[in-house]
Amino acid sequence: MREATRNEIVRLRYAGASQRAIALQLGIDRKSVNRVLKEHQGARAGEAESERPRRASLLDPYADRIAQLLERYPDLTAVRLHEELRRLGFEGRYGIVKEHMRVIRPHPPKAPVQRFETGPGVQAQRECPELR
């Protein structure tokens, strides 16, 4: 939802319109109007936005074993880790393991390439007479 729509909802509410009337006028769901008004009231009261709790992962029971394997084999690939976890009873797919590996072991950014510039006429290609 755009910021302009949120502002319009709050403006209409302060003008005395009901939530149902606001929803009809703007063509949005009443629950959306209610959510925006609750967020606005919370922001005015100085309440901090609450974060959702993290969902449990299929890899959570294997976190200690993953840490041990990565400590022992720092260059362990996601494919090999997935194979090891399957032996231990892990039923998840390879993609979950691959994403987890990206999070716990991010790749360093690539070093920038230094360009080589020459002045006009300094560097040129010439024909090789042997290839004629």
Side-chain angles (χ1 to χ4, degrees), residues 61-70 72 81 84-85 88:
Y62 303 97
D64 293 335
R65 183 65 179 150
I66 292 171
Q68 289 172 358
L69 287 169
L70 287 175
R72 191 170 180 188
L81 178 61
E84 286 294 322
L85 294 176
L88 297 173

Side-chain angles (χ1 to χ4, degrees), residues 9 12-14 16-38 41:
I9 290 170
L12 289 171
R13 184 63 176 174
Y14 282 126
S18 68
Q19 290 183 20
R20 182 172 286 171
I22 294 170
L24 282 172
Q25 184 176 348
L26 298 177
I28 57 177
D29 189 58
R30 286 183 293 140
K31 293 176 187 173
S32 298
V33 172
N34 188 25
R35 179 177 41 83
V36 168
L37 292 173
K38 279 185 180 180
Q41 289 297 336

